Amino acid sequence: MELKYVGPKPIISYTGIEFDNNKEDKYTYLNIVVQLLKALDHDYFEDKTYNYQAYTQRLTSQELYDELTKLCPNIKALMQRENHNIEEEIEHNIHRAEENSVLNAQNREVLLSNINIMHDYLVQRSINKSVYYCAVDLLAELLKKDHIDHVITPMFQTFFHVLHSVQGSLKKQKSPIDTALDVFEKDGTLFVKLQVINTKKVNSLIS
């Protein structure tokens, strides 16, 4: 098992295979999550602002896996568990296709063929998604643990997506944490700010 990009969400039917470009492979955002985790994982002092230069070079799949293994030692078990879950889901979909009484025999065969064609794609995409959300939860825990008041990053779609995911992770905590995600302009440049409601204030700027 490995981490690698496959592509957007597939829509599989008896008429063919299409892709929803609005549902990108979560692998796309792993590089940003790792950047943020590495930038924010250190000791903090209250009421101090920290600035970081974002690491712009994209990590290879192996480098991402190695970095995430340091941050999340159970990543291999997580990937194996997700592989098992998605295999069960694929088998369920195959069983449903075989018993679909609405389709004729030819269309059922086409649907089954399309599911089998996309088997590896579906497995990899699901593994990427589970690893992404594991890393996002780690980032949310880091913000919570270190009482980080807010994080500001450039207004790139990848950064915004990750911060939005972190916002969702903080919201689903046993004791939900209030947050706000805003876009603002400074000196002609757009930034995105994730505000976290904490008792202490530590600010982090990723540029």
Side-chain angles (χ1 to χ4, degrees):
M1 257 175 289
E2 60 181 335
L3 291 173
K4 65 178 181 180
Y5 178 80
V6 282
K9 181 179 180 178
I11 303 170
I12 304 170
S13 70
Y14 71 92
T15 61
I17 302 168
E18 299 179 354
F19 296 91
D20 184 351
N21 291 318
N22 293 318
K23 301 287 186 179
E24 184 55 281
D25 183 352
K26 294 301 183 186
Y27 179 91
T28 302
Y29 308 105
L30 276 175
N31 197 70
I32 299 299
V33 182
V34 170
Q35 283 190 43
L36 293 176
L37 281 166
K38 292 176 69 175
L40 299 176
D41 189 14
H42 62 82
D43 293 331
Y44 288 93
F45 295 95
E46 188 176 349
D47 293 323
K48 182 172 174 59
T49 296
Y50 294 83
N51 290 273
Y52 309 95
Q53 182 65 41
Y55 185 64
T56 55
Q57 181 179 341
R58 292 198 64 82
L59 300 174
T60 66
S61 295
Q62 187 59 51
E63 288 170 336
L64 277 174
Y65 181 83
D66 291 342
E67 289 294 336
L68 286 165
T69 299
K70 297 174 190 174
L71 299 163
C72 180
N74 68 335
I75 188 173
K76 186 175 181 180
L78 173 69
M79 293 170 73
Q80 290 173 337
R81 184 167 64 250
E82 188 58 32
N83 182 79
H84 174 75
N85 291 341
I86 189 63
E87 289 284 5
E88 283 193 340
E89 183 178 325
I90 292 171
E91 282 300 316
H92 174 70
N93 289 336
I94 288 174
H95 183 66
R96 286 184 59 194
E98 289 172 338
E99 296 192 341
N100 191 318
S101 59
V102 176
L103 301 178
N104 60 39
Q106 182 179 358
N107 286 341
R108 279 198 300 273
E109 284 302 315
V110 172
L111 176 56
L112 286 167
S113 175
N114 288 341
I115 293 173
N116 286 319
I117 287 170
M118 296 304 293
H119 174 275
D120 291 350
Y121 187 106
L122 292 167
V123 169
Q124 187 63 58
R125 197 171 185 278
S126 184
I127 288 172
N128 293 346
K129 183 178 180 179
S130 67
V131 172
Y132 169 75
Y133 280 111
C134 176
V136 164
D137 287 344
L138 285 173
L139 187 52
E141 284 297 326
L142 187 63
L143 298 182
K144 177 183 174 182
K145 175 178 69 73
D146 290 330
H147 304 285
I148 296 176
D149 178 63
H150 65 262
V151 177
I152 298 174
T153 71
M155 181 48 230
F156 299 142
Q157 189 271 341
T158 48
F159 278 104
F160 185 91
H161 183 95
V162 169
L163 292 183
H164 185 264
S165 295
V166 173
Q167 185 181 35
S169 180
L170 290 169
K171 188 178 295 183
K172 72 178 184 182
Q173 299 275 327
K174 187 174 181 180
S175 298
I177 297 175
D178 290 333
T179 60
L181 192 61
D182 299 301
V183 176
F184 68 95
E185 182 179 351
K186 182 178 180 182
D187 299 327
T189 302
L190 286 176
F191 296 91
V192 57
K193 177 180 180 180
L194 176 64
Q195 182 80 41
V196 185
I197 308 304
N198 278 307
T199 56
K200 299 179 181 179
K201 291 186 178 182
V202 177
N203 308 323
S204 295
L205 309 177
I206 312 294
S207 59

